[in-house]
Amino acid sequence: MCRYCVKYGDGHKWYLNPKNYTDEVTQGPQTKLKMEDTMVGQILGLEGTIQEIMTTAKRFKYDIGFGEHIDEVFPDLNDEQARELREGFPDIFDIAVGGQVVPLEDAEKIIDLNHGDIFVLPCICRKYYGGKEKMSCMFLNPAGKLLEQNTSWDTPNEMVSKEKAKEMVRQFDKENLIHGIFWCPAPVPIMLCNCEYPHCIALRARLHYNLVDAYRKGEYVAFIDAENCDGCNGIPACINTCTFGSLKYSPTQNKVIVDEMECYGCGLCRNVCPNDAISLIDREKIPQIKDDW
Amino acid sequence: MVTIRPEIKYDKEKCVDPRSCLECIRACPKNVLAHRPSVIPPPPEEPKEWIIVPTTRVLCDYPTCSLCLDACPNDALSITIPNP
């Protein structure tokens, strides 16, 4: 169990705890903290609570501002100063915004747990990097309802039912987009993200600057049944789907192997396996990686 | 040890309208360049001015790669390697 599940999960995974979707938590005292009193708010020049920022036009400034200032905040990956800063960051992610990878099944459960309809916006990160516009940012309540009133700059937008949202998530899964659940502030789930590597700002923060809490690994890891895996005659399809490079091919054994240290547990490799050899197992069941997020 | 980060700048007078062109952003294979409105007004107003910003400069391969410089139709971009 990760520290978020211990702290906010009440025995569940933090994003599957129904309590975190109630008014008691989504309007709780941790959501009242002003960003100007925090370090990250001062760096980015933000005012108001993080929920106010994320549900108005200021959201762009936060998401994008973080992507832009990250170069200045983290002078170097190997730098001593940068490492100290990184270690100081978990608290900041608690009061601001961070995320975790979820597989399709959990994404569907999150949609079910959410109260009411889901508000869908085009992905802000793709827009920023000049990518193709895609309706893939799914906002949960109460942020979705607030955003609906503040989205004239962010067209098109759409309010979809739970059934439609699940259908969309399944489609994104087929398109090989990684699902992630974001909190804002912890443990209030705010957004279901369906993104890809070069564009997603959270993934960039994780992979380039090793900010663990920006995009945490999922609660699962991929497991390959060696008996069923036949290596697809030397051209395994699953390796292409992995954004994190966790799948390796062994030519003499003619099998695919999972590097569990690199696996984020998104479960996208399962979709393409012709022999159904890949499944997800709980990260907890492997002692070597149970504390690796 | 500090990794060298190229300084990426552009001439705002030469650059026509980042939003309608985006050639340099699309040319970059590592997505170092991005674009955004300089100021976001409260709704229902639309942002007026768009600017180009360098983001994860550690990834920039200049001078081995200079695709963004070649892509710019107005020669507005310039990259310099700072002295260590």
Side-chain angles (χ1 to χ4, degrees):
Chain A
M1 284 229 153
C2 73
R3 70 186 178 88
Y4 285 91
C5 299
V6 174
K7 209 167 163 187
Y8 306 115
D10 298 340
H12 304 266
K13 298 179 175 77
W14 71 270
Y15 53 81
L16 295 183
N17 182 2
K19 194 183 149 198
N20 291 339
Y21 295 83
T22 58
D23 287 352
E24 191 194 334
V25 172
T26 55
Q27 314 288 344
Q30 79 279 20
T31 62
K32 307 283 183 248
L33 186 78
K34 301 267 191 227
M35 284 305 280
E36 55 259 41
D37 301 335
T38 65
M39 189 179 118
V40 76
Q42 282 161 8
I43 292 169
L44 302 175
L46 296 170
E47 284 171 6
T49 67
I50 185 70
Q51 282 195 338
E52 275 166 22
I53 292 162
M54 292 302 276
T55 52
T56 59
K58 289 181 199 163
R59 178 168 75 96
F60 203 92
K61 195 176 170 187
Y62 183 86
D63 276 4
I64 300 315
F66 194 74
E68 250 170 72
H69 289 270
I70 204 165
D71 247 11
E72 294 150 31
V73 180
F74 291 94
D76 205 283
L77 262 181
N78 307 316
D79 197 63
E80 189 63 32
Q81 221 179 347
R83 196 162 62 235
E84 279 171 24
L85 253 173
R86 255 203 308 280
E87 279 161 9
F89 251 66
D91 300 337
I92 291 155
F93 280 100
D94 259 18
I95 55 161
V97 53
Q100 185 173 24
V101 174
V102 288
L104 177 64
E105 304 89 310
D106 282 6
E108 286 183 11
K109 280 182 200 164
I110 288 164
I111 292 169
D112 270 334
L113 278 166
N114 174 51
H115 297 281
D117 289 351
I118 284 160
F119 190 60
V120 188
L121 282 178
C123 173
I124 202 169
C125 307
R126 280 194 195 89
K127 200 171 170 182
Y128 181 52
Y129 289 109
K132 211 173 153 189
E133 192 170 89
K134 195 162 179 67
M135 298 284 281
S136 63
C137 276
M138 301 177 141
F139 282 85
L140 309 174
N141 283 325
K145 274 184 192 138
L146 290 168
L147 262 169
E148 200 189 11
Q149 302 157 4
N150 294 313
T151 46
S152 62
W153 55 280
D154 222 3
T155 49
N157 57 69
E158 204 183 344
M159 198 62 134
V160 299
S161 67
K162 285 186 181 184
E163 282 308 311
K164 177 82 196 301
K166 278 191 210 167
E167 221 170 82
M168 286 170 79
V169 172
R170 274 178 227 129
Q171 181 59 32
F172 293 142
D173 207 70
K174 281 181 199 151
E175 289 170 19
N176 212 30
L177 299 172
I178 301 157
H179 316 292
I181 177 77
F182 284 76
W183 65 78
C184 167
V188 183
I190 182 173
M191 181 183 69
L192 195 58
C193 159
N194 301 282
C195 218
E196 63 200 288
Y197 164 63
H199 296 145
C200 183
I201 289 173
L203 258 175
R204 286 168 82 108
R206 173 72 205 246
L207 297 176
H208 299 165
Y209 296 96
N210 206 12
L211 289 173
V212 174
D213 290 316
Y215 211 29
R216 294 169 71 85
K217 290 179 183 175
E219 305 278 343
Y220 308 89
V221 283
F223 173 77
I224 295 183
D225 188 347
E227 277 179 20
N228 288 344
C229 178
D230 62 359
C232 298
N233 296 322
I235 323 163
C238 51
I239 292 184
N240 285 344
T241 67
C242 186
T243 303
F244 309 100
S246 73
L247 299 172
K248 324 268 179 196
Y249 175 65
S250 158
T252 52
Q253 294 179 70
N254 200 15
K255 280 189 201 314
V256 175
I257 300 141
V258 187
D259 181 355
E260 279 131 355
M261 295 301 279
E262 301 290 325
C263 182
Y264 278 56
C266 62
L268 296 177
C269 46
R270 293 175 298 174
N271 297 348
V272 291
C273 184
N275 303 323
D276 288 333
I278 312 179
S279 56
L280 287 182
I281 55 169
D282 275 347
R283 188 171 280 270
E284 265 180 40
K285 286 184 183 160
I286 302 174
Q288 294 90 318
I289 54 159
K290 75 177 168 55
D291 292 325
D292 179 41
W293 301 100
Chain B
M1 200 194 98
V2 175
T3 319
I4 292 167
R5 285 152 208 234
E7 277 174 21
I8 306 169
K9 284 181 182 158
Y10 78 104
D11 191 336
K12 278 188 190 172
E13 284 174 14
K14 283 187 189 167
C15 180
V16 241
D17 176 18
R19 207 183 174 189
S20 62
C21 176
L22 297 182
E23 290 291 338
C24 53
I25 291 174
R26 295 205 177 114
C28 182
K30 293 195 168 181
N31 285 73
V32 172
L33 293 169
H35 76 303
R36 66 168 173 88
S38 58
V39 181
I40 300 172
E45 276 177 72
E46 290 287 321
K48 282 175 195 141
E49 194 201 6
W50 289 69
I51 54 169
I52 288 169
V53 284
T55 56
T56 36
R57 286 180 292 142
V58 256
L59 294 180
C60 181
D61 285 343
Y62 184 82
T64 319
C65 162
S66 56
L67 289 172
C68 56
L69 302 181
D70 300 343
C72 183
N74 302 322
D75 281 335
L77 268 175
S78 68
I79 306 182
T80 49
I81 307 268
N83 289 324

